[in-house]
Amino acid sequence: MLKAVITDIDGTLTDRRRRLSTEAIRTIRSLVDAGITVVVASGNTVCSLDMLCKMIGTDGSIIGENGGLYRFRYDGQIHVTGRQSVCWDAYHRIEEHFIAQGEVLTLYSPEYRFADVAFARTVDPVEAAGVIEGMPVRVIDTGFAIHLQYEGISKGSALGDLALLMGLEPSDFLAIGDSENDTDMIRRAGVGAAVGNATDDLRKAADYVSKKKYGDGFVEIIEKYRPEIV
Ligand SMILES: O=C(O)COP(=O)(O)O
Ligand SMILES: [Mg+2]
């Protein structure tokens, strides 16, 4: 039996252009109204997740910055497990490398980030990873941004910590995602599902891959597993 849902946002509840699926929101509201907790787990910042949770109508339980931080409900403490200073060291090395080639990197909301570093996908993430080889930092391409994350930290590691705070096990969760940054999370969850537009690696790690894409895929997955969520 499953007891809660944890979902990625970009590419799962949104389309490629980050437009939220109204059908997915409707589905989340029906889960919440039935007393089922829905956690959002994203590479996004706390403030953007808070706005989203309020407007969708969840209880504010979040995993942000790709697992670099998490919080149980709006009034809970923000637990930061990422090590941003190490990520900044990695970023500066990458920045120097690309500046030497005439490429200027664009940071994403650095003033609102506490755990990781994120920047625009204007450079090759594999080349960026090569530049910081040996450092305890992972380069993550979410399909929407490139993130630098301290080793061992992921949405999956944060799911373990958050589930404990909620009095649940990771295996109590149905987890849904679309990309590389969701892999650990869908592996650790009781059921891990990927939407139809998911990357090949995530599809391989998933228990189920929806036929439909983006928000419609999310709705399809919830409909399939709804009888198992109590
Ligand atoms: O912040 C990103 O790069 C992607 O966000 P997501 O984890 O909700 O897909
Ligand atoms: Mg995503």
Side-chain angles (χ1 to χ4, degrees):
M1 277 297 169
L2 297 163
K3 295 182 181 162
V5 173
I6 184 161
T7 182
D8 171 63
I9 297 172
D10 289 318
T12 301
L13 302 182
T14 78
D15 65 13
R16 235 349 282 154
R17 292 166 57 192
R18 302 192 76 202
R19 294 176 300 188
L20 265 175
S21 156
T22 48
E23 292 310 313
I25 296 171
R26 213 187 306 275
T27 298
I28 290 174
R29 287 187 181 145
S30 73
L31 290 169
V32 170
D33 289 346
I36 295 161
T37 300
V38 179
V39 177
V40 294
S42 176
N44 285 281
T45 59
V46 172
C47 57
S48 62
L49 297 180
D50 274 0
M51 172 71 92
L52 188 81
C53 289
K54 292 251 182 208
M55 290 184 165
I56 291 180
T58 68
D59 72 359
S61 296
I62 56 167
I63 288 174
E65 300 187 37
N66 284 319
L69 53 82
Y70 63 92
R71 184 189 66 204
F72 180 34
R73 297 186 177 145
Y74 290 111
D75 58 357
Q77 186 195 329
I78 297 171
H79 297 265
V80 178
T81 53
R83 287 186 57 187
Q84 198 185 35
S85 61
V86 183
C87 298
W88 275 120
D89 290 346
Y91 176 78
H92 290 127
R93 206 180 276 189
I94 292 168
E95 186 183 38
E96 213 172 280
H97 170 86
F98 284 108
I99 280 180
Q101 299 176 18
E103 309 247 27
V104 177
L105 304 185
T106 306
L107 283 166
Y108 281 157
S109 50
E111 59 277 67
Y112 301 122
R113 290 189 173 271
F114 311 118
D116 81 351
V117 174
F119 54 98
R121 296 174 76 240
T122 52
V123 295
D124 178 10
V126 177
E127 188 175 339
V131 174
I132 57 162
E133 219 176 288
M135 292 184 84
V137 173
R138 207 155 52 95
V139 176
I140 305 165
D141 178 12
T142 66
F144 292 87
I146 298 171
H147 296 253
L148 303 177
Q149 183 62 275
Y150 188 61
E151 66 180 6
I153 302 291
S154 67
K155 291 185 189 180
S157 65
L159 171 59
D161 294 335
L162 180 62
L164 202 66
L165 269 184
M166 296 170 76
L168 297 172
E169 302 281 341
S171 58
D172 291 325
F173 284 79
L174 164 61
I176 307 173
D178 76 310
S179 192
E180 172 191 342
N181 62 333
D182 301 310
T183 314
D184 287 351
M185 175 176 82
I186 73 159
R187 283 214 179 104
R188 285 199 74 169
V191 172
V195 284
N197 52 291
T199 56
D200 286 346
D201 283 357
L202 194 77
R203 300 167 84 89
K204 278 186 207 130
D207 297 304
Y208 178 71
V209 181
S210 65
K211 285 164 202 66
K212 293 182 183 160
K213 295 180 179 178
Y214 303 106
D216 292 340
F218 173 85
V219 173
E220 179 188 326
I221 291 162
I222 297 293
E223 280 170 359
K224 176 176 167 64
Y225 289 102
R226 184 64 186 87
E228 295 177 42
I229 310 172
V230 293

